C-alpha cells in the first residue's frame, strides 16, 4: 500500500513541476468536492447532491486553485522570496486585508447565485447580513494558517496546503451551521 501511495505522490510531484497551474486547479477542485461530500453527509443529507458537489468542485478548479497559484507567486515577487518573520507577518497581513475579504465575498456570492440559484437581490441581502461575521471569524483562524503556509511550505505546496485546510474549514463551518439549526429546533 505504501508503495502505491509513494508512486502516486511522485507522479503528483512530476505533474506539479510540469503543469503547476493545472495541477493546483485540479487539486483544489478535488479537495473542494471531497469537503462538500463530507459536509453533506455530516449535515444529514441522505442522497448526495451531485449538482452542488460538482459546482463546488468547479469553484475550486476554476477559481480557488488558480487564484491561489497566482496569489502566492505574486507574494513571492512582491516580497522577493524572503522568509524572515517580519516579511512573513507582512505577507499574512497583506493576504488577510486583500484576498481573504475578496475570496469570502466571491464565495458567498457564487454559492448564493450559482449553487443555490437565488436571485441577486436575495444574495446581496444575505451577503450584507452574514459577511461581517464570516470575515471576522476568518480573521481569527486564517492568519495562523497563512503564517504556517508562508513559514514552512515551499511555494509549490502552498495551494495544496491551503486547499486542504480550506476543506477542513468547510466541514467545520457545516458542523457549526448544523448545530445552530439543531439548537433552534
Amino acid at each position: 500500500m505504501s508503495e502505491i501511495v509513494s508512486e502516486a505522490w511522485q507522479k503528483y510531484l512530476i505533474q506539479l513541476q510540469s503543469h503547476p497551474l493545472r495541477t493546483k486547479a485540479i487539486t483544489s477542485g478535488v479537495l473542494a468536492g471531497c469537503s462538500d461530500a463530507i459536509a453533506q453527509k455530516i449535515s444529514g443529507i441522505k442522497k448526495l447532491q451531485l449538482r452542488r458537489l460538482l459546482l463546488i468542485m468547479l469553484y475550486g478548479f476554476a477559481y480557488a486553485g488558480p487564484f491561489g497559484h497566482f496569489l502566492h507567486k505574486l507574494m513571492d515577487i512582491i516580497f522577493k522570496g524572503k522568509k524572515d518573520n517580519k516579511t512573513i507577518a507582512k505577507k499574512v497581513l497583506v493576504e488577510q486585508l486583500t484576498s481573504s475579504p475578496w475570496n469570502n465575498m466571491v464565495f458567498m456570492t457564487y454559492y448564493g447565485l450559482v449553487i443555490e440559484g437565488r436571485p441577486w437581490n436575495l444574495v446581496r441581502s444575505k451577503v450584507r447580513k452574514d459577511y461581517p461575521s464570516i470575515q471576522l471569524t476568518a480573521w481569527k483562524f486564517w492568519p495562523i494558517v497563512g503564517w504556517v503556509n508562508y513559514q514552512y511550505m515551499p511555494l509549490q505546496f502552498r495551494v495544496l496546503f491551503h486547499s486542504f485546510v480550506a476543506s477542513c474549514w468547510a466541514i467545520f463551518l457545516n458542523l457549526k451551521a448544523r448545530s445552530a439549526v439543531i439548537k433552534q429546533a
Side-chain angles (χ1 to χ4, degrees):
M1 180 67 166
S2 67
E3 238 178 76
I4 294 170
V5 171
S6 180
E7 188 177 330
W9 179 247
Q10 289 307 311
K11 287 181 179 182
Y12 179 81
L13 292 177
I14 290 167
Q15 289 300 308
L16 192 57
Q17 178 115 22
S18 303
H19 310 284
L21 178 57
R22 179 179 71 189
T23 305
K24 291 172 189 173
I26 293 169
T27 300
S28 184
V30 168
L31 287 172
C34 291
S35 168
D36 189 61
I38 293 167
Q40 286 188 44
K41 187 70 174 165
I42 287 170
S43 67
I45 295 171
K46 300 290 184 223
K47 185 178 179 203
L48 188 67
Q49 295 175 354
L50 193 56
R51 179 185 178 279
R52 172 181 144 172
L53 179 105
L54 292 173
L55 289 171
I56 292 284
M57 289 180 77
L58 177 64
Y59 177 85
F61 173 76
Y63 177 77
F67 183 91
H69 170 79
F70 290 112
L71 171 72
H72 293 296
K73 284 182 78 157
L74 179 64
M75 292 293 244
D76 260 25
I77 291 168
I78 291 170
F79 294 101
K80 298 168 181 53
K82 294 180 186 173
K83 291 186 80 171
D84 60 281
N85 286 341
K86 188 175 178 182
T87 302
I88 291 169
K90 289 177 186 176
K91 285 181 178 182
V92 170
L93 185 63
V94 167
E95 183 179 86
Q96 292 306 307
L97 293 177
T98 59
S99 71
S100 176
W102 172 256
N103 283 334
N104 285 326
M105 182 76 66
V106 168
F107 182 78
M108 291 177 72
T109 304
Y110 176 83
Y111 197 89
L113 290 173
V114 177
I115 295 172
E116 294 180 329
R118 295 176 187 247
W120 169 245
N121 61 337
L122 290 178
V123 172
R124 185 180 63 212
S125 177
K126 181 157 177 56
V127 169
R128 282 185 178 158
K129 178 180 169 274
D130 294 346
Y131 178 78
S133 66
I134 288 171
Q135 188 57 50
L136 288 173
T137 302
W139 279 333
K140 293 174 187 174
F141 175 76
W142 285 103
I144 298 163
V145 174
W147 187 276
V148 170
N149 210 5
Y150 290 117
Q151 179 73 37
Y152 300 108
M153 294 294 145
L155 180 59
Q156 71 269 23
F157 294 127
R158 289 185 189 151
V159 173
L160 173 64
F161 176 74
H162 189 273
S163 294
F164 176 75
V165 175
S167 296
C168 297
W169 177 251
I171 293 167
F172 165 76
L173 289 177
N174 198 285
L175 281 171
K176 187 174 179 178
R178 184 167 186 257
S179 67
V181 170
I182 290 170
K183 285 179 186 174
Q184 290 175 352

